[in-house]
Amino acid sequence: MCHCHGEAALPGGLAPAAPLRAGTFLIHADEISLHLLCDKYKTGVIDGSACSSLCAKETLYFGKCLSTKPNKQMYLGIWGNLQGVIKCQMEEAAQFDFGTDPEPRKEIVLFDKPTRGTTVEKFKEMVYGLFKAKLGEQGNLSELVNLILSFADGNKDGRVSLPEAKSAWALLQLDEFLLMVILQDKEHTPKLMGFCGDLYVIERVEYTSLYGISLPWIIELFIPSGFRRSMDQWFTPSWPRKAKIAIGLLEFVEDIFHGPYGNFLMCDTSAKNLGYNDKYDLKMMDMRKIVPEMNLKEMIKDRPCESDMDCVYGTDCRTVCDQSKMRCTTEVIQPNLAKVCQLLKDYLLRGAPSDIHEELEKQLYLCIALKVTANQMEMEHSLILNNLKMLLWKKISHTNDS
């Protein structure tokens, strides 16, 4: 859909697109793709709550690129007097590319479904079928379908037009968008502001990484990872604020652990996927690698393997290679909580008050040792999560940061 990384020639050998106006920001975007999206809107193929502002009124502008990698297409968006984050289509539908990151899409989305003549009831059936395939028979899927229809009604006229349905269908192929809709009422999910085709706008978050400073991806390539980790720890908020952010992350783990629509797995618990606002409330910046457990099991089932290294999705969802069958098993080894505690260990222990340092370290190591296969895992999971939250909260509840 759009590209942040430098000024490479566009498909067909064309020169880079001219910068798009964006207040005081300039950006080199794939203007051809943006024009194609707006052409689809102007010819009545797609519609959505952001289309008019993006393509007709020109009150939604692309601002500076927020991505540190070429395959994460996020921009600051300026929409009238509001600031948001514009996310472009970045992943294939149901693309489980084990061991690699999705590249920006190279083909144009056709927006060919639903077809002309599809009734609202038929569209509801399509959406229901999609949810059933992704989530299984969990929760109240009909309620979720109604939620999607309400969101798809971009102009709020009480009905979903065919162009609005085409945009909604394209977006629903993305796990991140689906999860955002499911968790829209949760504190740590950024609010969806609008959409057009397969582009969507979410609320802006002040800080777009858990810690560290954001560097251009080309510079990142030349910094040794050990030095980068040390450098990151120099650029963190004060300890009480880190504790508040960590509590938010633990609450998010609760939100996606056996919620009303099943369990979701965090397959990339990188600090770059997490952000926080000026009140130090955690917000999830990138949820592309948070996938329905049922979906992942289906995809990894019977995958050929020689070692456990062949049974990894993203960076953090690992299963075991069954050597007798040379096939991957479906049970992910580490629960979300263990992966999150691994991420938080250095973050929380550095600068922790001396009177809780030892207990905090003990709880974090107990947490990291959690295994999915252990008996009573759910009980242990809840106990450790609550212990950690209580330990942190007791220490900061009397400070201004709480």
Side-chain angles (χ1 to χ4, degrees):
M1 169 59 216
C2 25
H3 301 279
C4 285
H5 48 299
E7 301 186 7
L10 301 175
L14 297 173
L20 296 174
R21 184 161 57 89
T24 56
F25 300 110
L26 290 178
I27 178 174
H28 285 279
D30 186 342
E31 200 172 293
I32 291 176
S33 288
L34 193 58
H35 281 319
L36 283 169
L37 191 76
C38 286
D39 280 346
K40 295 272 188 192
Y41 164 65
K42 287 169 182 172
T43 53
V45 176
I46 59 170
D47 200 355
S49 50
C51 288
S52 169
S53 298
L54 184 69
C55 303
K57 297 176 186 169
E58 295 186 358
T59 52
L60 172 58
Y61 299 123
F62 277 72
K64 69 175 180 178
C65 179
L66 299 175
S67 308
T68 55
K69 291 184 179 177
N71 64 340
K72 291 187 178 183
Q73 302 303 312
M74 293 195 301
Y75 302 86
L76 184 63
I78 296 146
W79 195 349
N81 60 356
L82 297 174
Q83 288 196 346
V85 172
I86 299 172
K87 290 198 162 199
C88 302
Q89 173 69 288
M90 298 175 288
E91 58 179 306
E92 296 285 0
Q95 176 184 348
F96 281 75
D97 47 347
F98 292 83
T100 60
D101 271 347
E103 284 299 311
R105 290 175 70 101
K106 294 180 176 61
E107 83 286 4
I108 301 303
V109 181
L110 296 173
F111 301 111
D112 55 351
K113 288 181 183 176
T115 52
R116 187 173 293 281
T118 303
T119 62
V120 171
E121 283 309 309
K122 180 64 183 167
F123 182 57
K124 276 184 167 182
E125 285 174 27
M126 286 171 63
V127 174
Y128 189 94
L130 179 71
F131 290 165
K132 192 173 167 185
K134 279 179 178 278
L135 306 170
E137 290 279 16
Q138 314 221 40
N140 188 342
L141 291 186
S142 299
E143 203 174 285
L144 189 55
V145 170
N146 290 333
L147 192 62
I148 291 296
L149 260 66
S150 167
F151 184 80
D153 179 14
N155 59 5
K156 302 301 171 202
D157 64 353
R159 54 184 285 275
V160 178
S161 65
L162 183 63
E164 286 172 336
K166 284 180 187 285
S167 289
W169 185 255
L171 286 168
L172 285 175
Q173 310 311 307
L174 309 177
D175 281 326
E176 177 177 57
F177 183 81
L178 174 57
L179 189 56
M180 275 191 162
V181 173
I182 289 173
L183 298 177
Q184 261 308 277
D185 61 338
K186 300 294 184 185
E187 184 187 349
H188 307 297
T189 309
K191 295 290 169 263
L192 281 162
M193 293 167 65
F195 67 98
C196 182
D198 54 359
L199 170 152
Y200 55 107
V201 188
I202 62 171
E203 70 169 303
R204 188 193 172 193
V205 176
E206 201 72 28
Y207 302 95
T208 55
S209 178
L210 186 60
Y211 50 62
I213 49 172
S214 186
L215 297 171
W217 67 276
I218 196 74
I219 294 173
E220 293 271 12
L221 293 176
F222 297 101
I223 299 178
S225 58
F227 179 70
R228 179 61 163 134
R229 279 195 297 275
S230 303
M231 193 172 85
D232 278 338
Q233 297 297 341
W234 305 335
F235 296 93
T236 57
S238 64
W239 190 85
R241 288 170 173 172
K242 287 195 290 187
K244 186 179 182 189
I245 294 163
I247 289 169
L249 184 52
L250 294 170
E251 286 172 348
F252 180 77
V253 170
E254 282 182 293
D255 289 342
I256 63 170
F257 182 66
H258 294 311
Y261 301 104
N263 196 19
F264 285 79
L265 300 174
M266 299 172 77
C267 295
D268 182 0
T269 45
S270 155
K272 297 291 176 222
N273 295 336
L274 314 169
Y276 55 93
N277 62 20
D278 54 2
K279 293 177 181 165
Y280 300 92
D281 298 315
L282 177 105
K283 298 285 180 181
M284 299 301 297
M285 288 303 300
D286 188 342
M287 302 200 290
R288 285 182 302 149
K289 286 286 170 73
I290 299 178
V291 296
E293 182 177 30
M294 180 185 151
N295 236 191
L296 183 63
K297 283 185 170 182
E298 199 55 44
M299 286 293 186
I300 206 167
K301 185 177 69 178
D302 297 331
R303 182 178 172 78
C305 61
E306 291 179 10
S307 74
D308 292 353
M309 293 305 294
D310 298 321
C311 304
V312 182
Y313 173 66
T315 53
D316 296 321
C317 284
R318 300 167 184 276
T319 74
V320 173
C321 179
D322 181 342
Q323 292 294 333
S324 64
K325 299 176 184 170
M326 303 302 275
R327 290 284 186 271
C328 292
T329 57
T330 60
E331 213 54 65
V332 173
I333 300 164
Q334 250 192 330
N336 293 334
L337 184 58
K339 292 179 274 197
V340 160
C341 286
Q342 184 72 57
L343 174 68
L344 290 175
K345 180 171 69 73
D346 292 343
Y347 186 71
L348 283 176
L349 291 177
R350 185 184 177 91
S354 55
D355 59 330
I356 67 158
H357 192 285
E358 190 179 332
E359 180 61 20
L360 181 58
E361 188 172 33
K362 178 184 148 192
Q363 291 296 335
L364 284 167
Y365 276 107
L366 279 173
C367 177
I368 291 165
L370 272 175
K371 291 276 186 287
V372 168
T373 50
N375 287 338
Q376 318 253 298
M377 194 278 288
E378 289 196 26
M379 199 182 293
E380 279 185 56
H381 183 285
S382 298
L383 191 64
I384 289 172
L385 194 144
N386 287 329
N387 284 348
L388 272 169
K389 276 171 60 181
M390 203 177 302
L391 187 64
L392 296 171
W393 188 249
K394 271 168 72 174
K395 199 66 198 166
I396 66 166
S397 56
H398 61 282
T399 68
N400 294 335
D401 297 304
S402 63

